[in-house]
Amino acid sequence: MMIDQAKVRVLLLESIHRDAVSRLEAEGYSVESVRNALDESELLERIPGVHLLGIRSKTKVTAKVLEAADSLVAVGAFCIGTDQIDLHAASAAGIAVFNAPFSNTRSVVELAIAEIISMTRRLTEKNALMHEGVWDKSADGAHEIRGRRLGIVGYGNIGTQLSVLAENLGMHVSFYDTADKLALSNAHRCASIEELLETSDVVTLHVDGRPGNAGFFGAEQFKRMKPGALFLNLSRGIVVDHVALRDALTSGHIAGAAVDVFPKEPKGRGDEFVSELRGLPNVILTPHIGGSTEEAQSDIGDFVANKLAHFVQDGNTTLSVNLPGVALPEQSGMSRIVHVHINTPGVLAQVNSILAQHHVNVEGQLLSTRGEYGYLITDIGGPYADDVLEQLRSMEQTVRLRVLS
Ligand SMILES: NC(=O)c1ccc[n+]([C@@H]2O[C@H](COP(=O)([O-])OP(=O)(O)OC[C@H]3O[C@@H](n4cnc5c(N)ncnc54)[C@H](O)[C@@H]3O)[C@@H](O)[C@H]2O)c1
């Protein structure tokens, strides 16, 4: 497959930042931007003929959508999480997926800090009373965060940065992660999630959205938390049982909660937000805005758009979520063949044997593999017969072949 740069069609959903639109238009691509998410049937109608698809967290890119995507080469997730995309089906179709793993980390951390302080001082209640004309100057139930223990579940990009900032504010930090993680500064690594729950004044979730995490935090975990502790979830809605959270709050066992992500979120502006957590005191509800700052959105827009453009032009897959990462510097006057294949022994030898049989000289070549798949970039200096591509395409391991020039 060879894409004419001037004919690259891009479909961006969910109000992706204008910086991404400008970056892709600057490449000469035709960009269509849609404000809301699309459901599967809408996406099935719109996807044929699209080369690059940009989504945020709401659009589900299913195997069925990918099957209907006759021209798609890459999907850009203009967010951190990619569990809304069927990555297995994308790899099997040779479609690269990119995201922005670091762009909004700081924004999420700052919101978490603001919420920890707000709940510890019971600001939402004071604020609500003031708006009702009630002047309640009491210090009852209001605390400093200094000296309190923050328990971070999930010590990844966000968890670690929160750990550092919280310590700088005078909090003690514990964390629990299923993977081996280096403790930053004075943070204490808990041997079990139970240890963290039983010893923390504030518990905050920053785990990823892998399927095994669905509903992993429920009645049993809330019960384990210290009486009067606070709870935050700014990770993924599916990880928390909201009925159990409501019960823990109404019984008074949990003193407050801040929730930014929900198992079912409205699709667009104006749709009603339905939740068991509405109307509870000292509960901060926000519409999945942890990463939504102008700074983060601009950075995400730029970062993912760059990845998509480089993939179309150079075939570079650095930081791809699903394909092996390969980056070969661009060389002028070369043809570049990019080859996604099933990772079995002898593929490289077979490709080079086809090239050698046709007297094609290889000027540069880089291969990387990742699990089931391999990705090979080959630069060729001179002209070559169409038969070369036909033979490469008909290799039984070939998943997808693209020619860039
Ligand atoms: N609210 C928002 O707007 C917003 C913005 C950005 C990211 N997020 C979400 O925040 C979460 C964290 O993002 P990140 O960039 O730090 O991810 P990350 O992948 O860097 O870190 C996740 C960490 O959680 C750990 N983990 C996974 N399951 C676990 C479990 N059951 N128990 C303990 N540890 C577990 C992983 O080992 C990893 O270290 C993601 O779910 C992401 O989707 C939300």
Side-chain angles (χ1 to χ4, degrees), residues 80 108 156-158 177 181 206-207 213 234 236 260 288 290-291:
I80 294 185
V108 178
N157 294 315
I158 293 173
D177 199 295
K181 294 282 170 161
H206 299 287
V207 299
N213 279 344
L234 290 91
R236 288 270 156 169
D260 186 47
H288 205 146

Side-chain angles (χ1 to χ4, degrees), residues 68-390:
D70 55 359
S71 308
L72 197 66
V73 292
V75 178
F78 287 75
C79 52
I80 294 185
T82 51
D83 47 309
Q84 69 281 37
I85 303 166
D86 188 329
L87 293 176
H88 189 75
S91 306
I95 294 169
V97 178
F98 296 96
N99 67 341
F102 320 115
S103 299
N104 61 7
T105 303
R106 174 72 188 206
S107 303
V108 178
V109 169
E110 287 192 12
L111 182 62
I113 294 280
E115 291 180 333
I116 292 167
I117 296 175
S118 299
M119 285 192 287
T120 310
R121 293 295 290 270
R122 305 190 78 88
L123 288 189
T124 52
E125 287 171 341
K126 299 281 183 210
N127 177 59
L129 287 174
M130 288 293 275
H131 282 282
E132 285 166 21
V134 181
W135 183 269
D136 172 15
K137 201 175 162 345
S138 103
D140 288 353
H143 299 276
E144 293 183 351
I145 60 163
R146 178 174 53 161
R148 295 176 94 73
R149 183 161 289 279
L150 174 65
I152 301 174
V153 183
Y155 207 58
N157 294 315
I158 293 173
T160 47
Q161 194 168 141
L162 177 60
S163 169
V164 172
L165 284 187
E167 274 200 350
N168 279 317
L169 288 168
M171 297 191 84
H172 303 295
V173 175
S174 298
F175 71 90
Y176 171 72
D177 199 295
T178 42
D180 274 340
K181 294 282 170 161
L182 178 72
L184 298 184
S185 197
N186 291 319
H188 164 71
R189 184 192 172 107
C190 293
S192 66
I193 191 166
E194 288 76 20
E195 181 195 342
L196 180 141
L197 298 176
E198 287 163 8
T199 53
S200 300
D201 301 299
V202 182
V203 171
T204 185
L205 305 188
H206 299 287
V207 299
D208 52 60
R210 66 186 72 172
N213 279 344
F216 100 98
F217 208 99
E220 202 188 312
Q221 287 67 32
F222 287 118
K223 205 166 143 201
R224 287 262 184 181
M225 285 171 64
K226 283 168 76 171
L230 300 171
F231 173 79
L232 291 91
N233 182 21
L234 290 91
S235 61
R236 288 270 156 169
I238 52 155
V239 304
V240 176
D241 175 346
H242 280 194
V243 174
L245 173 56
R246 185 198 57 204
D247 293 347
L249 284 160
T250 49
S251 72
H253 180 61
I254 302 296
V259 183
D260 186 47
V261 286
F262 302 86
K264 274 197 189 138
E265 297 181 358
K267 245 174 87 178
R269 218 176 272 188
D271 294 350
E272 190 185 350
F273 161 64
V274 179
S275 167
E276 296 84 355
L277 304 176
R278 273 173 51 178
L280 298 178
N282 210 24
V283 172
I284 302 175
L285 301 178
T286 45
H288 205 146
I289 50 159
S292 303
T293 60
E294 301 226 353
E295 290 79 2
Q297 291 309 311
S298 160
D299 199 76
I300 290 172
D302 208 47
F303 187 89
V304 180
N306 260 325
K307 293 275 162 221
L308 294 175
H310 281 301
F311 182 68
V312 170
Q313 284 153 30
D314 318 324
N316 287 346
T317 47
T318 311
L319 288 183
S320 166
V321 180
N322 62 328
L323 292 186
V326 179
L328 194 60
E330 210 184 335
Q331 303 186 63
S332 57
M334 302 282 163
S335 292
R336 175 165 287 190
I337 297 174
V338 299
H339 186 233
V340 184
H341 55 264
I342 304 289
N343 179 20
T344 51
V347 173
L348 185 59
Q350 210 178 325
V351 167
N352 285 339
S353 148
I354 293 171
L355 295 173
Q357 280 162 24
H358 291 81
H359 309 290
V360 174
N361 195 33
V362 172
E363 304 283 349
Q365 196 170 47
L366 209 53
L367 165 76
S368 178
T369 60
R370 179 178 186 168
E372 261 182 272
Y373 297 95
Y375 189 66
L376 176 69
I377 299 184
T378 306
D379 282 345
I380 291 167
Y384 56 88
D386 285 350
D387 197 34
V388 173
L389 299 180
E390 282 317 309

